Amino acid sequence: GGVTAQFGEVSDQMKKEMIDRLKESATKVMLNVYELELKPSDEKNVYLAIKNDLNVDDTFNVCTKNNGGSCGSVDLTCSFVDVPAGSTAPDCSDITVTTFKDKQIIRGNIEVLPVKIKISSGAKATTYMIPIVVSASSTGEQQRADLYLTVK
């Protein structure tokens, strides 16, 4: 379908590794990397694993600064790890973070979704903290993973 074409496939190997890691973990959401280094104009996928440990099949909404899943009034503003003294924080609009808005996950299962990170040519060189929030539809329970993106 169109959405898969937009974000690309997750390789079987990546999916297996992330599912194995998340199965053994107490956490319910996990990124394959939490730190990423890119240059202006780069585009790269990171991968988000979501575990449904509820007693029901559920739809999980995925929210990023550019992805309007329904996660309530959660703050999805990206922030800056280091802002040099005397300078204003650069604008996060140079970074686009998109993925599936929601994903149906059978109870007890884990799904792995690609998250596309795109940097515009004008992006400032700094480290950005980008929140990715996952919200279970039936309970409203939220999990969050932060990606630290350094633009060189």
Side-chain angles (χ1 to χ4, degrees):
V3 175
T4 303
Q6 191 181 347
F7 299 119
E9 294 287 342
V10 180
S11 77
D12 291 341
Q13 180 64 26
M14 171 69 74
K15 199 176 275 189
K16 182 185 179 325
E17 281 173 23
M18 291 192 73
I19 287 172
D20 289 347
R21 275 171 54 199
L22 196 52
K23 266 183 190 159
E24 293 167 17
S25 165
T27 59
K28 299 174 191 182
V29 298
M30 179 183 280
L31 292 169
N32 67 318
V33 293
Y34 288 88
E35 294 178 19
L36 192 61
E37 220 173 81
L38 294 173
K39 295 181 180 73
S41 303
D42 278 355
E43 194 175 297
K44 188 172 174 66
N45 278 352
V46 297
Y47 296 94
L48 173 71
I50 304 169
K51 182 196 306 182
N52 180 356
D53 65 353
L54 303 169
N55 295 325
V56 293
D57 300 353
D58 203 357
T59 298
F60 289 79
N61 297 302
V62 185
C63 303
T64 68
K65 62 184 280 306
N66 304 103
N67 220 65
S70 30
C71 294
S73 60
V74 59
D75 182 8
L76 296 166
T77 322
C78 81
S79 55
F80 307 99
V81 179
D82 296 301
V83 179
S87 71
T88 56
D91 184 355
C92 278
S93 62
D94 290 318
I95 295 163
T96 310
V97 184
T98 48
T99 186
F100 294 84
K101 283 187 171 50
D102 54 55
K103 185 72 176 174
Q104 175 79 26
I105 304 177
I106 295 166
R107 69 180 185 168
N109 280 15
I110 295 171
E111 291 284 342
V112 181
L113 312 179
V115 179
K116 184 188 277 185
I117 312 290
K118 194 172 183 180
I119 315 294
S120 80
S121 58
K124 303 280 186 299
T126 188
T127 299
Y128 302 81
M129 187 189 79
I130 299 166
I132 298 167
V133 174
V134 176
S135 178
S137 292
S138 66
T139 63
E141 182 190 350
Q142 294 184 345
Q143 306 292 325
R144 173 174 164 154
D146 291 326
L147 175 67
Y148 289 86
L149 169 69
T150 300
V151 175
K152 287 289 189 198

